[in-house]
Amino acid sequence: NIVAERIETEFFLVGSTAIEDKLQDEVAETISYIKESGIKLWVLTGDKIETAINIAFSCALLNPEMEMFIIDAKTTKDIML
């Protein structure tokens, strides 16, 4: 980006930070127990898609072998079934 290259010059990093939103204790184990009992689980969130997917993987709700269907639409007309 030409504008960013012109504006963002001679900066000095003075610090950085990161935040991790950890799951509460035993969430992953509880979700595994629910899945093993035959109850079907869905993820429905207003959070960012990437965040929801990362949380679902971290609590073993999703795994790499699963097929994911991501519906990201603003209106019902945008959803084609």
Side-chain angles (χ1 to χ4, degrees), residues 36-52:
E36 289 170 8
S37 70
I39 297 172
K40 295 189 185 287
L41 298 170
W42 289 56
V43 175
L44 177 63
T45 181
D47 214 331
K48 292 181 181 178
I49 292 172
E50 296 83 8
T51 302

Side-chain angles (χ1 to χ4, degrees), residues 30-41 59-63 66:
T30 302
I31 289 173
S32 292
Y33 179 75
I34 291 169
K35 285 172 45 180
E36 289 170 8
S37 70
I39 297 172
K40 295 189 185 287
L41 298 170
C59 67
L61 185 56
L62 294 177
N63 66 54
M66 292 180 165

Side-chain angles (χ1 to χ4, degrees):
N1 183 323
I2 295 171
V3 174
E5 289 175 9
R6 288 185 181 174
I7 294 174
E8 296 178 1
T9 61
E10 298 181 30
F11 280 103
F12 298 97
L13 179 63
V14 294
S16 65
T17 186
I19 296 173
E20 180 181 4
D21 191 5
K22 290 190 169 195
L23 295 172
Q24 293 182 14
D25 292 341
E26 300 183 20
V27 168
E29 294 85 357
T30 302
I31 289 173
S32 292
Y33 179 75
I34 291 169
K35 285 172 45 180
E36 289 170 8
S37 70
I39 297 172
K40 295 189 185 287
L41 298 170
W42 289 56
V43 175
L44 177 63
T45 181
D47 214 331
K48 292 181 181 178
I49 292 172
E50 296 83 8
T51 302
I53 291 170
N54 287 331
I55 291 170
F57 274 107
S58 71
C59 67
L61 185 56
L62 294 177
N63 66 54
E65 291 80 38
M66 292 180 165
E67 184 176 9
M68 286 190 292
F69 297 91
I70 299 171
I71 300 171
D72 181 22
K74 303 293 180 202
T75 68
T76 55
K77 291 180 184 178
D78 294 335
I79 300 171
M80 301 296 291
L81 297 178

